[in-house]
Amino acid sequence: MKILSVNAGSSSLKFQMYEMPEETVLISGVFERIGIENSFYTIKVNGEKIKKEVELPNHEIAVEYLTKELLENHIVDDLSEIKGIGHRLVHGGDKYADSVILTEDVMNTVEELTPLAPLHNPANLVGVRAFKKAIPDAVAVAVFDTAFHQTMDEVSYLYGTPYEWYQNYGVRKYGFHGTSHKYIAGRVNEILGHENTRVITCHIGNGGSISAVKDGKCIDTSMGFTPNAGLVMGSRSGDIDATVIPYIMDKTGMSIKEIDTVLNKQSGLLGISGVSSDSRDIEAGIEAGNERCILAQKMYIRRIINYIAQYYVELGGCDAIVFTAGVGENSINVRKQIIEGLQALGVKLDEEANNVRGKETLITSSDSSIPCYVIPTDEEVMIARDAYHFSK
Ligand code: AMP
């Protein structure tokens, strides 16, 4: 059965088509700069990568190109062969603990949740509508970034703010990257050979979050009400004392909106280093002796170590720590420093094994108190699995 996995952002659209249940990727691609000049798309098919520069004024046109490519490359002879389409939706609030069929009702609820994810939910819905129009017979399924974290209890998800803020305005921790954490936790349970596990999953990329997962269920996670909580990230601040905001408003005359932009786009590695949000540029800066790059990376790593230590205690021990996403899968140096920072827990790196990028690997030595793994994440296959589940 042909199943599409879709991730639509405000100016991009990523897709992968699978043959299910085999989980074979038939074609994948990404449309970029939708609605902006110099738009283009790249597709991978039959072992080849092709880039095409085309005008993409909106997502509907992108979906038109996508369907054209599916037909021209004989991935399908007719669009009716596509039975299900799974859509990544960022914010499901506390309404969805699992994936659901994207009915009009669900779409309305996702729209109502827009104030909680003003950048993401509307863009996700634009993608959903474009596919509903182009391939109306396929079952559309919503896969929420927040769903996996719905198993947290209120002790973990509430803030120390007035309870009425939670009751009246939904102020609480929701957590994100759930599809990735779920995939990683599932995969590591397969490696460990059982389900009764205490796992710390570290999704560290441009955005980053860490989750504590007990018996396959999330009990705590570092992102919060928005994806700007927790770790120091590429350009996001992560946790700060909220009182900094009125103080800086008072000092600089900046508006709430301006401060929000700074906290999301000009903070983190970028804000501290003044160089870049990209960890590769930070590493290059460190090589060149740039003091602020050195500081930025130290802060980035310290925050990760602190969350791992916190979740170790919260889980009552730990059976595995996993690194994934851009930095977690590829940065040998960042992983090394994190593991060295966990010495107090008896975690011991295997330097040779750690010399790996993007490949499932055990990177700790046999006498390490906790095994640590690199496991490449695969959110697309999770989305495809859920879409397949509802389309069978
Ligand atoms: P993601 O958001 O998961 O795509 O991750 C993006 C982050 O991964 C960026 O900060 C990249 O610099 C980082 N990254 C990707 N490849 C490498 C690499 N080979 N070494 C270090 N960091 C990398």
Side-chain angles (χ1 to χ4, degrees):
M1 183 187 291
K2 306 282 191 297
I3 298 285
L4 254 182
S5 171
V6 173
N7 182 353
S10 55
S11 65
S12 69
L13 193 160
K14 290 188 205 146
F15 74 95
Q16 293 216 31
M17 173 160 272
Y18 289 85
E19 183 67 52
M20 297 296 280
E22 297 84 356
E23 301 185 352
T24 317
V25 178
L26 304 174
I27 185 170
S28 64
V30 52
F31 292 80
E32 295 188 53
R33 301 183 63 85
I34 299 172
I36 319 176
E37 75 287 0
N38 303 326
S39 49
F40 63 95
Y41 67 91
T42 43
I43 54 167
K44 269 197 228 164
V45 64
N46 301 325
E48 246 193 297
K49 194 170 175 182
I50 307 155
K51 179 176 175 183
K52 295 190 184 173
E53 286 172 21
V54 291
E55 276 198 30
L56 298 171
N58 55 49
H59 287 70
E60 277 185 26
I61 303 290
V63 174
E64 270 178 31
Y65 278 110
L66 195 166
T67 52
K68 200 165 131 243
E69 291 288 354
L70 295 180
L71 294 166
E72 281 177 3
N73 286 289
H74 303 290
I75 303 295
V76 291
D77 293 322
D78 193 288
L79 295 178
S80 64
E81 289 169 41
I82 304 166
K83 298 298 180 200
I85 305 180
H87 294 271
R88 176 197 182 207
L89 294 183
V90 166
H91 217 311
D94 58 4
K95 304 278 187 294
Y96 303 104
D98 234 319
S99 299
V100 287
I101 293 185
L102 259 165
T103 58
E104 276 302 316
D105 265 2
V106 172
M107 288 173 72
N108 290 337
T109 307
V110 172
E111 192 131 30
E112 281 162 21
L113 292 166
T114 291
L116 299 184
L119 299 179
H120 292 103
N121 275 19
N124 298 157
L125 284 175
V126 166
V128 172
R129 290 202 183 91
F131 278 97
K132 282 208 170 213
K133 196 167 166 197
I135 316 173
D137 293 335
V139 179
V141 175
V143 181
F144 295 97
D145 258 27
T146 45
F148 182 59
H149 304 300
Q150 279 296 302
T151 44
M152 285 187 289
D153 72 16
E154 58 188 2
V155 176
S156 295
Y157 71 65
L158 283 180
Y159 293 122
T161 48
Y163 195 71
E164 291 72 25
W165 288 13
Y166 164 59
Q167 287 178 307
N168 299 338
Y169 310 114
V171 171
R172 51 160 284 180
K173 180 190 280 194
Y174 291 101
F176 299 87
H177 292 141
T179 309
S180 176
H181 289 288
K182 185 175 178 185
Y183 174 82
I184 295 300
R187 181 66 202 122
V188 82
N189 277 357
E190 279 172 14
I191 295 170
L192 296 173
H194 59 109
E195 304 270 307
N196 299 111
T197 55
R198 300 156 299 177
V199 175
I200 299 174
T201 51
C202 309
H203 177 113
I204 43 177
N206 191 28
S209 61
I210 301 191
S211 292
V213 186
K214 193 163 196 297
D215 305 334
K217 293 194 166 57
C218 177
I219 63 159
D220 210 344
T221 193
S222 63
M223 280 182 168
F225 179 64
T226 74
N228 189 18
L231 304 176
V232 171
M233 300 177 228
S235 67
R236 295 176 224 165
S237 63
D239 294 340
I240 64 164
D241 178 342
T243 316
V244 167
I245 296 169
Y247 176 77
I248 290 293
M249 286 176 78
D250 196 39
K251 284 280 174 199
T252 65
M254 284 167 88
S255 67
I256 279 279
K257 234 180 154 171
E258 285 167 330
I259 293 196
D260 193 46
T261 304
V262 173
L263 291 175
N264 278 288
K265 303 223 159 107
Q266 291 153 25
S267 299
L269 290 177
L270 172 63
I272 299 296
S273 70
V275 169
S276 171
S277 60
D278 191 301
S279 80
R280 282 165 294 200
D281 298 337
I282 299 297
E283 300 223 356
I286 292 169
E287 293 264 311
N290 182 316
E291 292 293 334
R292 283 191 24 208
C293 286
I294 296 171
L295 175 63
Q297 193 184 63
K298 278 190 181 158
M299 292 171 64
Y300 180 87
I301 288 168
R302 169 77 62 81
R303 195 70 70 86
I304 292 170
I305 292 168
N306 287 354
Y307 266 101
I308 292 175
Q310 178 187 329
Y311 290 161
Y312 175 86
V313 174
E314 217 168 307
L315 285 163
C318 179
D319 300 307
I321 300 171
V322 189
F323 297 98
T324 196
V327 178
E329 291 170 29
N330 296 299
S331 181
I332 294 161
N333 176 34
V334 168
R335 284 195 309 256
K336 176 174 151 67
Q337 292 188 62
I338 295 169
I339 290 178
E340 283 174 356
L342 292 169
Q343 251 173 28
L345 300 181
V347 184
K348 290 193 188 136
L349 184 72
D350 177 338
E351 293 244 13
E352 208 171 299
N354 185 44
N355 200 9
V356 69
R357 296 187 206 276
K359 196 164 154 261
E360 195 171 290
T361 312
L362 172 67
I363 57 169
T364 39
S365 56
S366 53
D367 60 343
S368 176
S369 60
I370 307 168
C372 299
Y373 295 88
V374 171
I375 301 182
T377 194
D378 194 344
E379 290 159 283
E380 292 78 14
V381 82
M382 294 297 276
I383 295 171
R385 282 177 194 168
D386 284 358
Y388 174 64
H389 168 78
F390 286 104
S391 309
K392 280 189 282 188

